[in-house]
């Protein structure tokens, strides 16, 4: 060193610009070397000098990285890797107070004593080093630099109340990760900085914090070593650390070094504690705020003049004591412990034949234990490397490649990637050593590439685990007051600035639940800010959408496609419902009003379309009197009305009133009064919703699937629900109303007293098997007697002439579901029986027709051997007694009961049946005609032209096209004069008024058919 070279100690607290000053002084010289405590800081300074001078003149040398251009002028190094023999003009050592560090202090002390520049030497550090430097470097000049900002105590704060731009300091990986996870949940995310991170990972994490993507930093004490970050508050989560030997409390100057990171340049900073850390005492707070710490009295030192004669002599030179009062011998570090362990191995001792091999062993022992494994495992790896170098002169390429390939994997979690990074640092260190590998450039680039890939993967995992990027991006944009861009895809997913924020269902935004509480508020604010124009655009599209895109659910919801946009609300009348729109308040009143008006238009048109016949009947002023009352009841029932509820009113209707109602489509069925168009699936579905809404039900009954003739009848379901759905309960099932009326038309042609069998047409209508049909008939008031008989093959049936159908049954008694005086339009139907659920089945098409039955008497005969038997039912009208759920029909007249046995199974005629339907089964049993009352109704009776024949003189019968009595009446001696009279099975009508000329009702199918028959 030249005598004119000056040594300057620039001392002061943090945030005084000491490192910046050293860089400027070094660049003022032609060449320079700067030693830094961490390779993280070395990389940061290297990037700054490269930006100022270019990469061709700047070198970076650390234990794991070596970038040395051919025209290098400035060397940026870790303190351990500083080249001392190159004769640089300027030499600078940063954080010189680390001379007192038990682990690395001897390295800094060596640089303090021996590192000198040709023109200038700079020592940068704490004011506590003034006495030691003055004693060990007599010619040193001291420069004191004051802190640019004020540092103050802020007390204890919970992490949930931590202010933005804060750094929380922990002293273990587990502690750092736990704090980072808590901050992610409560604050949206944080960056993580640890000394074990690679420079690439550390820089990426710092960039997250510096760019404002996150407002919080969780770090170890690595941030206390010169990292210049925009930190306003430093909080200590712990005040003790493991120093490699034991857990110990932090020294005051260590706390001051870390706390001094708060406040950058002229911005003031604060420090405090959080979590389980106890608050600092007053003396420590005062020392930190005023930067007054106890001066350093001892520097750790290790002898640098080594003896490589033998391992024992080398160890002895390393353990040599010092006589300087300012120096103390450093404790055995990892390299000395490794040397002692390897020199004791027999296989190593055999190779130590010269000072050169001892020096090689010492160089191998200086490989850091990046993996932090056990001493034995680390010593085993070093022994393997030394064996290669001692025997072959180099580490084998294939062995090195195998170890590197095992590490070169970017899958796994944070711990796995961190471990691989520690492993690759070992091989990076090996590749950096001159002469240890065959192709140094290849292996340096290869190990560096693997470290970069692992660093990027680790940064990604850290960000994924501890940073909610969505929230951080939105917070940064909101701070910058930039307009946010929201996108909604066809699935309703909302992305704000490319980050998923939630789903927009209709006009309601459902936020993603994975965000933290603070992040959720930010996310919601940003999403609604960006969705305001989208709400208006969507409202315009919705208002102009056709009705085909809208629908209602069976629980009263209103849908736009697959999105719920509103619900139905009960109005003043059942068929005038109101709507409630599902629109977020943030969308605004205009959007909500537009959506509501469009929904109201939709449901009003839907009701007007589906119930048009019913609404037209309600508006018809020509309907007067009793007919108007019945029309009102039909409107209340939304087109379906059980006949037994209005049986009296129906009987009192005259034909003109009936005709007016029929013109509106009203059908007077045996069991139900209804409008057939309103039994279709669409009106039925709407009727159930509107009725449930009007009656305040919490759960609406659902309409049956379209196309089903019968459905299970559940006793826990109210009967009126089935009626509203268009079904009538009978037995264990409920049958569709219109199909029941078709069945009733067929049953009227059957003898319900003598008994009859089910026809294939009946089974086809109901879609049931014979056993299921029997259960249905029981629900309608019929008793089914099951029997068996030999099954007749079709060819055998064709060979045997069929007997006369119902030869002994008079025509008037042929009604199964007996007609009332005016046919289906005039009488009440028999109520259904109790029922339970059963599975539907197909029609029993294999049941033979009644005319295929064997002759009388053969059914009871024993079947011949090998004859196949078949089951059949004989149905007889047998309603239950009054008072039950299924009321039976009206009792027969006393006169009819006095006639004695009518058939094998006598029973009264069903309710609504014509009085002469209770005729005897045979001519011999039938009483004389003149014994019966001619007319049991007051005022006589007269039938319609399209009605059936009534009792009493003067009623003319009409030709009967099918069913009823036999055509040949010669076997009836009591009435020979009527043998050629055709019988009529049409229902009869009794009216309490004088006879008048009957007009054909064009809206009545019965009247039209009767008029056609009279003209044939």
């Amino acid at each position: 060193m030249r005598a004119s070279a000056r040594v300057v100690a620039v001392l002061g607290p943090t945030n005084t610009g000491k490192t910046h000053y050293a860089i400027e002084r070094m660049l003022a010289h032609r060449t320079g070397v700067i030693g830094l405590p961490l390779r993280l800081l070395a990389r940061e300074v290297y990037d700054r000098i490269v930006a100022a001078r270019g990469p061709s003149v700047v070198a970076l040398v650390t234990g794991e990285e070596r970038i040395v251009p051919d025209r290098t002028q400035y060397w940026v190094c870790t303190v351990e890797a500083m080249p001392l023999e190159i004769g640089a003009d300027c030499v600078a050592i940063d954080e010189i107070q680390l001379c007192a560090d038990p682990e690395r202090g001897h390295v800094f002390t060596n640089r303090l004593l021996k590192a000198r520049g040709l023109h200038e030497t700079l020592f940068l550090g704490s004011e506590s080093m003034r006495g030691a430097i003055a004693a060990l470097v007599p010619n040193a000049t001291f420069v004191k630099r004051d802190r640019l900002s004020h540092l103050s105590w802020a007390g204890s704060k919970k992490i949930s109340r931590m202010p933005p731009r804060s750094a929380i300091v922990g002293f273990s990986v587990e502690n750092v990760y736990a704090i980072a996870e808590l901050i992610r949940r409560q604050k949206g995310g944080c960056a993580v900085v640890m000394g074990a991170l690679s420079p690439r990972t550390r820089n990426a994490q710092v960039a997250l914090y510096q760019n404002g993507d996150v407002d919080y930093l969780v770090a170890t004490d690595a941030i206390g070593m010169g990292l210049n970050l925009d930190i306003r508050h430093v909080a200590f989560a712990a005040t003790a650390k493991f120093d490699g030997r034991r857990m110990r409390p932090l020294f005051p100057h260590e706390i001051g070094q870390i706390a001094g990171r708060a406040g950058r340049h002229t911005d003031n900073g604060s420090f405090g504690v959080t979590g389980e850390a106890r608050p600092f005492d007053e003396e420590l707070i005062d020392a930190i705020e005023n930067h007054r710490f106890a001066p350093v009295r001892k520097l750790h030192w290790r002898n640098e003049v080594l003896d490589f004669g033998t391992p024992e002599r080398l160890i002895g030179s390393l353990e040599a004591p010092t006589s300087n009062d300012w120096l103390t011998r450093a404790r055995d570090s990892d390299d000395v412990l490794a040397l002692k362990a390897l020199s004791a191995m027999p296989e190593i001792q055999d190779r130590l034949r010269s000072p050169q091999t001892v020096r090689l062993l010492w160089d191998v022992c200086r490989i850091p234990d990046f993996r932090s494994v056990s001493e034995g495992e680390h010593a085993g790896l070093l022994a393997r490397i030394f064996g290669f170098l001692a025997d072959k002169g180099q580490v084998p390429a294939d062995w090195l490649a195998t170890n590197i390939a095992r590490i070169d994997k970017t899958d796994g979690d944070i711990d796995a990637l961190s471990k691989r990074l520690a492993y690759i640092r070992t091989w990076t260190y090996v590749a950096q050593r001159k002469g240890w590998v065959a192709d140094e450039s290849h292996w340096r680039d290869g190990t560096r590439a693997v470290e970069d890939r692992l660093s990027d993967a680790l940064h990604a995992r850290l960000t994924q685990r501890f940073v909610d990027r969505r929230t951080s991006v939105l917070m940064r944009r909101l701070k910058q007051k930039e307009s946010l861009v929201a996108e909604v895809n066809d699935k309703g997913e909302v992305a704000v600035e490319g980050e998923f924020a939630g789903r927009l269902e209709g006009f309601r935004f459902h936020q993603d639940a994975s965000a933290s509480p603070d992040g959720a508020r930010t996310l919601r604010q940003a999403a609604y800010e960006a969705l305001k124009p989208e709400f208006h655009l969507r409202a315009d599209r919705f208002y102009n959408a056709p009705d085909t895109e809208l629908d209602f659910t069976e629980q009263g919801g209103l849908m736009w496609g697959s999105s719920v946009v509103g619900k139905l609300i009960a109005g003043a009348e059942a068929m005038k419902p109101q709507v409630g729109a599902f629109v977020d308040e943030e969308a605004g009143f205009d959007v909500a009003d537009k959506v509501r008006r469009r929904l109201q238009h939709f449901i009003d048109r839907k009701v007007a379309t589906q119930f048009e016949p019913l609404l037209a009947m309600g508006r018809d002023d020509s309907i007067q009197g009793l007919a108007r009352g019945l029309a009102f009841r039909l409107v209340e029932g939304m087109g379906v009305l059980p006949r037994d509820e209005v049986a009296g009113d129906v009987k009192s209707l005259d034909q003109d009133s009936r005709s007016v109602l029929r013109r509106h489509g009203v059908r007077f069925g045996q069991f139900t009064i209804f409008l057939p168009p309103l039994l279709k699936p669409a009106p039925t579905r709407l009727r159930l919703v509107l009725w449930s809404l009007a009656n305040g039900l919490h759960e609406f009954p659902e309409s049956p699937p379209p196309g089903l003739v019968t459905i299970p009848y559940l006793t826990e379901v109210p009967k009126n629900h089935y009626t509203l759905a268009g079904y009538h309960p009978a037995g264990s099932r409920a049958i569709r109303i219109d199909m029941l009326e078709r069945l009733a038309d067929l049953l009227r042609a059957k003898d319900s007293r003598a008994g009859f069998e089910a026809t294939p047409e009946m089974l086809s209508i109901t879609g049931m098997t014979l056993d299921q049909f029997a259960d249905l008939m029981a629900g309608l008031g019929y008793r089914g007697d099951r029997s068996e008989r030999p099954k007749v093959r079709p060819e055998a049936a064709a060979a045997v002439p069929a007997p006369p159908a119902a030869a002994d049954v008079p025509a008037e008694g042929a009604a199964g579901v007996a007609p009332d005086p005016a046919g289906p339009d005039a009488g009440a139907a028999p109520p259904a029986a109790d029922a339970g659920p059963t599975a539907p089945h197909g029609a029993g098409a294999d049941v033979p027709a009644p005319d295929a039955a064997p002759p009388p008497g053969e059914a009871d005969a024993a079947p011949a051997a090998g004859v196949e038997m078949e089951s059949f039912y004989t149905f007889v009208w047998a309603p239950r007694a009054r008072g039950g759920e299924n009321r039976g029909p009206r009792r027969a007249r006393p006169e009819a009961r006095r006639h004695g046995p009518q058939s094998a199974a006598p029973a009264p005629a069903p309710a609504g049946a014509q009085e002469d339907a209770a005729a005897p089964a045979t001519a011999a049993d039938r009483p004389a005609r003149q014994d019966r009352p001619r007319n049991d109704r007051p005022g006589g009776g007269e039938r319609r032209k399209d009605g059936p024949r009534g009792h009493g003189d003067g009623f003319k019968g009409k030709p009967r096209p099918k069913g009823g009595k036999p055509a040949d009446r010669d076997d009836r001696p009591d009435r020979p004069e009527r043998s050629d009279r055709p019988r009529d099975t049409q229902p009869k009508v009794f009216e309490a008024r004088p006879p008048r000329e009957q007009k054909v009702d064009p809206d009545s199918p019965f009247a039209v058919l009767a008029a056609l028959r009279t003209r044939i």
Side-chain angles (χ1 to χ4, degrees):
M1 184 181 71
R2 296 179 184 178
S4 60
R6 68 172 188 154
V7 178
V8 180
V10 183
L11 306 179
T14 57
N15 191 31
T16 57
K18 297 186 297 292
T19 305
H20 177 73
Y21 171 78
I23 294 173
E24 287 186 336
R25 292 301 306 155
M26 185 179 70
L27 294 180
H29 297 277
R30 186 179 62 85
T31 60
V33 177
I34 183 170
L36 300 156
L38 299 174
R39 67 178 187 138
L40 302 176
L41 184 57
R43 186 76 193 197
E44 179 180 324
V45 173
Y46 169 77
D47 293 336
R48 290 176 60 182
I49 298 178
V50 166
R53 291 291 189 266
S56 63
V57 296
V58 185
L60 174 65
V61 181
T62 66
E64 302 97 87
E65 195 170 11
R66 184 179 180 86
I67 303 174
V68 183
D70 294 335
R71 298 186 299 111
T72 298
Q73 294 178 261
Y74 305 102
W75 298 73
V76 181
C77 317
T78 54
V79 174
E80 288 84 350
M82 288 178 63
L84 302 179
E85 68 282 354
I86 62 174
D89 292 339
C90 179
V91 173
I93 310 296
D94 196 12
E95 304 295 348
I96 195 63
Q97 73 273 6
L98 287 179
C99 291
D101 182 69
E103 290 293 325
R104 304 170 61 200
H106 64 277
V107 179
F108 284 82
T109 301
N110 176 268
R111 303 301 184 260
L112 176 66
L113 297 175
K114 295 184 177 181
R116 295 294 184 268
L118 297 178
H119 297 286
E120 188 174 12
T121 302
L122 299 174
F123 297 120
L124 317 173
S126 171
E127 182 70 22
S128 61
M129 283 292 294
R130 175 184 285 269
I133 296 175
L136 297 173
V137 186
N139 60 340
T141 302
F142 293 93
V143 176
K144 182 179 179 182
R145 296 182 68 94
D146 295 327
R147 183 177 172 88
L148 301 177
S149 61
H150 180 67
L151 185 64
S152 59
W153 167 253
S156 178
K157 295 180 182 293
K158 294 181 178 180
I159 291 180
S160 60
R161 298 180 179 273
M162 200 65 62
R165 312 309 293 170
S166 294
I168 297 92
V169 180
F171 296 98
S172 69
V173 174
E174 294 78 9
N175 193 19
V176 167
Y177 286 170
I179 296 172
E181 180 66 24
L182 181 60
I183 291 179
R184 185 194 67 82
R185 295 178 180 176
Q186 296 186 351
K187 300 293 186 179
C190 63
V192 176
V193 173
M194 297 182 294
L197 297 179
S198 66
R200 189 181 183 93
T201 304
R202 194 274 315 191
N203 291 339
Q205 289 290 303
V206 168
L208 282 177
Y209 180 81
Q210 291 294 94
N211 294 338
D213 291 342
V214 294
D215 272 336
Y216 300 90
L217 176 71
V218 181
T220 61
D221 54 353
I223 66 169
M225 295 298 175
L227 294 183
N228 296 313
L229 302 174
D230 183 16
I231 300 174
R232 298 177 186 172
H233 179 76
V234 172
F236 289 85
T239 57
K241 64 178 286 188
F242 183 74
D243 63 359
R245 296 291 189 273
R246 60 185 176 86
M247 288 293 298
R248 64 170 178 83
L250 294 173
F251 296 125
H253 68 269
E254 291 175 323
I255 296 177
Q257 182 76 17
I258 298 170
R261 294 297 114 189
R264 187 178 185 184
H265 197 53
T266 58
D267 294 332
N268 294 330
S270 61
F271 66 98
V273 294
T274 187
E276 298 179 356
R278 299 182 62 181
F280 300 154
D281 55 39
E282 293 295 334
E283 293 182 2
L284 179 58
I285 294 173
D286 180 70
I288 295 173
E289 290 181 341
N290 298 292
H291 322 296
R292 290 194 298 264
F293 301 103
V296 175
R297 297 300 183 183
K298 290 290 185 179
L299 307 184
H300 290 273
W301 170 87
R302 188 170 75 181
N303 182 28
E304 293 295 327
V305 181
L306 303 180
D307 184 352
F308 296 104
T310 63
E312 292 77 12
R313 292 164 59 182
L314 175 60
I315 295 174
S317 63
L318 288 169
E319 294 180 346
T322 178
S323 59
N324 193 315
D325 294 338
W326 284 95
L327 305 179
T328 181
R329 189 177 72 84
R331 67 189 182 188
D332 290 345
S333 55
D334 291 340
D335 51 2
V336 175
L337 295 175
L339 175 63
K340 292 180 178 181
L342 266 65
S343 61
M345 297 180 181
E347 63 274 17
I348 300 297
Q349 292 177 353
D350 294 340
R351 293 185 173 93
L352 299 176
R353 303 184 183 94
S354 65
Q356 290 76 15
T357 55
V358 176
R359 178 183 289 274
L360 177 62
L361 178 62
W362 174 241
D363 290 340
V364 171
C365 290
R366 296 178 69 183
I367 298 176
D369 185 11
F370 296 112
R371 302 178 300 167
S372 298
V373 293
S374 65
E375 293 182 2
E377 186 175 349
H378 180 61
L381 175 64
L382 298 182
R384 189 77 180 273
I385 295 174
F386 175 75
F388 287 134
L389 295 174
D391 296 341
K392 301 180 181 180
Q394 292 178 339
V395 176
D398 55 348
W399 183 77
L400 186 60
T402 301
N403 284 277
I404 294 175
R406 189 164 50 243
I407 301 171
D408 190 11
K409 299 175 183 177
T410 57
D411 57 341
D413 57 9
I414 293 175
D415 292 336
L417 291 170
S418 298
K419 186 177 295 185
R420 291 178 196 149
L421 265 172
Y423 286 4
I424 196 61
R425 291 178 69 182
T426 300
W427 304 119
T428 302
Y429 186 95
V430 171
Q432 298 295 329
R433 301 296 293 179
K434 188 173 181 63
W436 281 19
V437 293
D439 189 350
E440 295 180 8
S441 176
H442 166 74
W443 291 114
R444 288 173 183 173
D445 294 341
T447 53
R448 174 67 183 277
V450 173
E451 182 175 340
D452 288 347
R453 285 193 291 270
L454 293 173
S455 299
D456 293 340
L458 179 59
H459 169 65
R461 298 296 190 282
L462 289 171
T463 303
Q464 181 181 4
R465 180 173 174 182
F466 301 126
V467 178
D468 187 347
R469 288 195 63 89
R470 171 186 56 199
T471 304
S472 63
V473 169
L474 297 179
M475 289 178 65
R476 186 174 69 249
R477 293 298 180 90
L478 288 175
K479 288 178 182 178
Q480 297 170 353
K481 297 182 179 181
E482 297 181 3
S483 59
L484 300 175
V485 178
E487 298 177 353
V488 183
N489 61 18
D490 54 356
K491 297 180 181 179
E493 297 175 345
V494 179
V496 181
E497 295 294 333
E499 299 292 338
F500 177 73
R503 297 180 182 276
L504 185 62
E505 295 183 3
F507 296 91
R508 290 192 300 187
F509 174 65
H510 297 276
Q511 184 176 333
D512 182 30
S514 64
S516 60
D518 286 354
R521 290 191 291 270
T522 303
L523 181 64
R524 189 174 185 86
Q525 176 187 354
Y528 278 121
E529 188 69 24
L531 283 175
K532 284 182 180 179
E534 175 65 23
F535 277 128
H536 287 277
L537 292 174
R538 181 168 284 212
D540 292 339
R541 292 199 304 270
F542 175 69
Y543 195 82
N544 297 317
D547 282 354
T548 53
E549 295 184 8
L550 278 66
D551 198 4
F552 62 91
T553 67
E554 296 191 351
Q555 298 300 317
L558 295 172
M559 308 291 294
W560 180 29
S562 59
S563 301
V564 181
V565 293
K567 67 176 182 178
L568 292 174
I569 302 174
E573 300 179 16
M575 288 193 291
K576 292 183 178 180
Q578 301 299 307
V579 299
F582 293 159
V583 181
D584 285 338
E585 292 183 2
E586 290 78 0
F589 173 78
D590 293 341
V591 172
D593 183 64
K594 186 174 291 187
V595 173
R596 185 196 59 77
R597 286 188 286 114
R598 179 65 184 88
L599 290 174
Q600 192 66 55
H601 296 335
F602 162 73
I603 198 62
D604 289 345
R605 283 196 291 266
K606 182 68 70 173
V607 172
T609 302
Q610 301 294 345
F611 295 106
E612 191 276 333
L614 195 63
L615 296 175
M617 182 175 65
R619 294 190 299 265
D620 190 354
D621 295 335
S622 63
I623 304 177
Q624 299 295 331
L626 192 58
R628 188 162 189 83
L630 187 60
F632 179 77
R633 292 290 301 275
L634 269 173
V635 173
E636 279 189 330
M638 298 185 188
V640 180
L641 191 63
R643 182 159 182 160
D644 55 4
E645 293 183 4
V646 291
D649 294 341
V650 172
K651 289 181 181 180
S652 302
L653 287 176
D654 56 25
Q655 292 303 314
D656 289 338
S657 299
R658 292 172 183 262
S659 178
V660 171
L661 294 177
R662 287 194 187 100
R663 281 201 301 269
H664 287 282
V666 178
R667 179 177 178 185
F668 294 87
Q670 187 74 31
F671 299 89
T672 313
I673 300 174
F674 61 98
L675 279 76
L678 269 62
L679 295 182
K680 294 180 179 179
T684 297
R685 181 166 167 260
L686 182 58
R687 175 170 55 250
L688 286 170
V689 172
L690 297 183
W691 182 86
S692 302
L693 201 66
N695 287 270
L697 298 186
H698 295 291
E699 186 174 352
F700 298 179
E702 297 183 359
S703 60
L708 295 183
V709 176
T710 63
I711 58 175
Y713 174 43
L714 306 177
T715 54
E716 60 269 19
V717 178
K719 184 179 177 181
N720 63 334
H721 289 187
Y722 286 94
T723 302
L724 290 165
Y727 287 79
H728 181 83
S732 61
R733 299 189 71 79
I735 183 171
R736 213 167 69 199
I737 289 174
D738 54 346
M739 293 293 103
L740 178 60
E741 297 302 334
R742 287 181 57 187
L743 177 63
D745 291 342
L746 297 177
L747 295 180
R748 290 191 191 94
K750 299 299 179 181
D751 185 357
S752 62
R753 297 183 181 278
F756 62 92
E757 294 185 34
T759 65
E761 186 177 2
M762 296 177 186
L763 299 178
S764 177
I765 287 175
T766 59
M768 292 180 168
T769 63
L770 185 59
D771 290 337
Q772 293 170 340
F773 183 76
D775 178 74
L776 175 71
M777 294 294 286
L780 294 176
Y782 289 84
R783 186 183 75 246
D785 297 327
R786 183 186 178 96
S787 303
E788 290 187 349
R789 62 188 174 198
K791 186 173 183 179
V792 181
R793 300 293 179 182
E795 55 273 12
V800 179
D808 297 331
V809 182
E812 293 84 357
V817 177
D820 58 357
D825 295 347
D834 295 335
T838 186
H841 199 280
D846 58 341
V847 179
D851 58 355
E858 292 185 8
D860 298 331
V867 176
E868 184 179 358
M869 304 298 291
E870 66 176 358
S871 299
F872 68 97
Y873 283 89
T874 302
F875 296 103
V876 178
W877 175 250
R880 295 186 180 183
R882 291 178 181 269
E885 181 182 349
N886 295 325
R887 290 184 53 190
R890 295 179 303 175
R891 296 183 180 181
R893 300 192 315 271
E895 296 86 342
R897 290 199 301 270
R898 288 198 300 267
H899 291 323
Q902 301 296 319
S903 63
Q914 56 192 31
E915 283 76 358
D916 61 345
T922 62
D925 296 333
R926 185 173 62 250
R929 185 81 176 179
Q930 59 269 19
D931 294 339
R932 302 187 215 166
R934 308 299 283 179
N935 190 355
D936 62 345
R937 291 182 181 268
E942 183 180 35
R943 65 177 177 84
R944 293 166 40 194
K945 290 185 179 181
D946 58 339
R949 182 169 54 86
H951 292 286
D953 297 336
F955 290 93
K956 305 295 183 179
K958 291 186 179 291
R960 185 198 306 265
K962 62 178 180 178
K965 299 180 180 180
D968 189 2
R969 301 298 296 270
D970 293 341
D971 59 340
R972 298 185 58 182
D974 56 335
R975 297 183 65 186
E977 71 280 4
R978 298 172 64 91
S979 60
D980 58 346
R981 181 180 302 172
R983 309 302 300 220
D984 190 1
T985 62
Q986 298 295 326
K988 300 171 179 56
V989 176
F990 294 85
E991 298 181 0
R993 64 179 183 180
R996 60 184 177 83
E997 183 180 358
Q998 300 293 328
K999 296 181 180 180
V1000 177
D1001 184 359
D1003 296 321
S1004 172
F1006 301 103
V1008 174
L1009 290 175
L1012 289 176
R1013 285 199 295 268
T1014 57
R1015 290 195 292 269
I1016 297 176

